[in-house]
Amino acid sequence: MQKRMPIVESLQHHVGNTSLHVPGHKNGVLFPGKYREVLQHDLTEVSGLDDLHHPEGAILEAEQLLAACYNADYSYLLVNGSTVGNLAMILGTCKRGDTVIVTRDCHKSVMHALDLAGVHAIYLATQKEVQTGTANVITGALLREALRLEPVRAVIFTYPSYYGFDYDLVSCIAVCREFGTLVLVDEAHGAHFQANASLFPKSAIELGADVVVHSAHKTLPALTMGSYLHIPKWHEELAEIPRYLQILQSSSPSYLIMASLDYARHYVANYSAQDIEAFQAMRTDWLQWLHQNKLTVITPADPLKIIVRKTGLSGFTLQKIFEQAGYFPELADATNVLLTLPLIKNGMTFPAPTTSLNWENSHFDEPKTTHTIEIPPITRIPATNNRPSRFEALEFTVGKTAAEMVIPYPPGIPILLIGEQITEQHIETLQSVKQHHYQGGEKLHENKLKIFI
């Protein structure tokens, strides 16, 4: 059953027909160069190709195969990234005035969903992972303490961390069940867990979550923005999610993205023991090369991720050294560089590392210190819709309420939340953040921050 790729097959069957419909490149005829062949498959809802918003044929079959692959009652193809999955699962389960609990290391799309839903948020501080200092663990004890504050509609988890660390999500879900709350999981970096139960961490689907969102494009061979939303066990509290997917997703979904999602599901569903051997051999080659370059290597729970650091260098400088050698990492922070390996199969080739890293011109005296924001274990932030705001010079914002998020990107985890009281530590950290890539902070480059009046 998992050998079929119905969307891919339907597109292949259609190729060769003349386009008297949108899109305007007309099966790639109006597009120059090598992209023309690919664009033959960039089609629309013509006869035989089904409709994402009312699937009855190839797309319906692809979603049924997806659900079977991930052991879910229902699974949906997403063409607007995990962002739209997070928006739909929150808007589809929460109503204005509800209270939700969310871990502080959540993606900005989760916070955008909370803002749109008009809910009150209780943020839980995550503990730091010991080796890397990155946000990771949330304890069942802290979760239980927060759940006792007031009635809670849903708890939203990020699992695993962006750096590949897992935690005791089973215990956290058990606590949620004690209080009758929904469990929504942004598992963006875990779409590949289905490949092998012994090698990779268990998915939140298997651990008992109500809704799980996967970024297939992050770790499986899907085009950027290709994602999945899974409902492991259907119940009526989740009935609005499909409607919100209709509202939020494009009415002109990309058939290229959908075909890649169809292929990605086929890819992970048919991952074999021989494929695991090939992946582990490739990974071993990279680990050996990293050690040969005298890097400190940290291996998290997810073997697709490798974290490296170098004594005397910031992660940002180390990232530049990697890039100068032709290797482009996933992200860097003040101390670490994160590498994401490919989930290769037997018979595939991935370039083996050969170029040595050049340390000769490295500035080993670059400081790596960062300002630490002391975050309370539990932060309660009410809905902030329609409050007036203005921009103010950073030095005058201490003690005031932030009206915008500031998000180092990647990984997309905000350091300042809308509705959060600004501290001196925030200001010190923002001065550091603005030297690197970030989102939000519309006028941070001018040393200004938006605050509520």
Side-chain angles (χ1 to χ4, degrees), residues 28-37 39:
V29 171
L30 305 188
F31 211 95
K34 59 185 178 182
Y35 295 104
R36 184 173 295 177
E37 182 178 351
L39 290 178

Side-chain angles (χ1 to χ4, degrees), residues 281-356:
M282 177 272 300
R283 182 173 182 268
T284 298
D285 288 342
W286 277 89
L287 289 171
Q288 290 176 346
W289 178 80
L290 293 168
H291 285 298
Q292 288 167 3
N293 278 273
K294 297 180 172 53
L295 292 163
T296 299
V297 178
I298 299 168
T299 53
D302 181 2
L304 222 62
K305 305 289 182 77
I306 299 175
I307 300 159
V308 294
R309 53 170 61 176
K310 180 77 171 178
T311 301
L313 284 181
S314 75
F316 301 114
T317 297
L318 182 56
Q319 179 184 35
K320 291 177 182 177
I321 292 170
F322 266 85
E323 291 173 351
Q324 288 166 0
Y327 306 112
F328 280 72
E330 170 70 15
L331 61 86
D333 60 32
T335 307
N336 308 293
V337 169
L338 175 64
L339 313 178
T340 301
L341 298 177
L343 187 69
I344 66 165
K345 285 193 172 187
N346 186 40
M348 292 182 172
T349 58
F350 183 74
T354 54
T355 306
S356 295

Side-chain angles (χ1 to χ4, degrees), residues 26-301:
K26 302 299 180 184
N27 296 345
V29 171
L30 305 188
F31 211 95
K34 59 185 178 182
Y35 295 104
R36 184 173 295 177
E37 182 178 351
V38 174
L39 290 178
Q40 292 182 73
H41 302 272
D42 183 35
L43 295 161
T44 190
E45 295 89 346
V46 296
S47 298
L49 296 187
D50 207 3
D51 180 352
L52 177 65
H53 295 290
H54 187 75
E56 298 176 302
I59 295 173
L60 175 62
E61 185 180 353
E63 291 188 331
Q64 290 171 339
L65 287 169
L66 178 64
C69 174
Y70 282 91
N71 300 311
D73 281 354
Y74 292 94
S75 293
Y76 301 90
L77 304 179
L78 307 180
V79 295
N80 293 68
S82 284
T83 289
V84 80
N86 288 337
L87 290 171
M89 77 174 177
I90 293 168
L91 289 169
T93 56
C94 302
K95 64 180 184 297
R96 192 166 300 277
D98 281 346
T99 296
V100 301
I101 291 175
V102 59
T103 55
R104 179 70 189 232
D105 62 338
C106 70
H107 189 263
K108 65 173 185 174
S109 59
V110 170
M111 297 180 183
H112 289 157
L114 301 181
D115 192 23
L116 289 171
V119 300
H120 306 292
I122 299 175
Y123 287 95
L124 302 188
T126 52
Q127 295 182 2
K128 289 188 176 181
E129 196 282 320
V130 176
Q131 300 174 87
T132 61
T134 57
N136 185 41
V137 176
I138 175 175
T139 65
L142 180 61
L143 177 58
R144 181 176 280 106
E145 180 183 348
L147 283 165
R148 286 173 175 157
L149 293 176
E150 60 185 279
V152 171
R153 174 62 174 164
V155 180
I156 306 162
F157 296 96
T158 302
Y159 173 91
S161 78
Y162 290 22
Y163 290 81
F165 294 100
D166 61 358
Y167 56 90
D168 190 5
L169 185 60
V170 173
S171 295
C172 290
I173 292 177
V175 172
C176 292
R177 297 309 177 208
E178 290 177 26
F179 289 83
T181 65
L182 292 171
V183 176
L184 312 179
V185 181
D186 176 3
E187 195 173 275
H189 291 258
H192 61 291
F193 290 176
Q194 198 68 18
N196 186 276
S198 61
L199 183 62
F200 297 107
K202 289 184 177 180
S203 169
I205 296 173
E206 184 179 350
L207 299 180
D210 292 299
V211 188
V212 177
V213 174
H214 280 151
S215 284
H217 69 94
K218 293 189 186 300
T219 56
L220 297 180
L223 291 179
T224 298
M225 293 199 299
S227 298
Y228 303 135
L229 183 146
H230 308 281
I231 297 178
K233 297 297 179 185
W234 178 262
H235 51 91
E236 284 305 308
E237 288 181 287
L238 311 176
E240 285 292 289
I241 292 175
R243 184 172 76 89
Y244 274 97
L245 287 176
Q246 297 265 347
I247 293 170
L248 297 167
Q249 294 215 90
S250 171
S251 60
S252 300
S254 166
Y255 274 75
L256 289 176
I257 292 176
M258 288 191 288
S260 75
L261 288 170
D262 195 19
Y263 173 70
R265 182 270 314 159
H266 177 276
Y267 189 94
V268 75
N270 293 284
Y271 208 76
S272 68
Q274 291 76 23
D275 297 331
I276 289 293
E277 290 178 8
F279 167 75
Q280 289 180 313
M282 177 272 300
R283 182 173 182 268
T284 298
D285 288 342
W286 277 89
L287 289 171
Q288 290 176 346
W289 178 80
L290 293 168
H291 285 298
Q292 288 167 3
N293 278 273
K294 297 180 172 53
L295 292 163
T296 299
V297 178
I298 299 168
T299 53

Side-chain angles (χ1 to χ4, degrees), residues 378-452:
I378 298 175
T379 304
R380 301 170 77 170
I381 297 182
T384 56
N385 305 70
N386 303 319
R387 288 180 59 183
S389 62
R390 68 165 184 263
F391 286 98
E392 193 159 308
L394 272 180
E395 60 266 30
F396 300 126
T397 62
V398 175
K400 297 178 181 177
T401 303
E404 63 178 343
M405 289 188 288
V406 181
I407 311 150
Y409 202 91
I413 300 171
I415 62 166
L416 182 65
L417 307 175
I418 294 175
E420 188 169 28
Q421 188 175 59
I422 302 163
T423 67
E424 289 280 4
Q425 292 171 329
H426 280 122
I427 302 304
E428 292 170 349
T429 304
L430 289 171
Q431 295 289 6
S432 173
V433 165
K434 72 178 186 179
Q435 299 175 38
H436 305 287
H437 187 66
Y438 62 89
Q439 295 180 352
E442 184 181 345
K443 294 187 177 182
L444 186 59
H445 64 287
E446 300 176 19
N447 250 29
K448 295 180 179 179
L449 196 64
K450 185 184 287 187
I451 61 165
F452 287 120

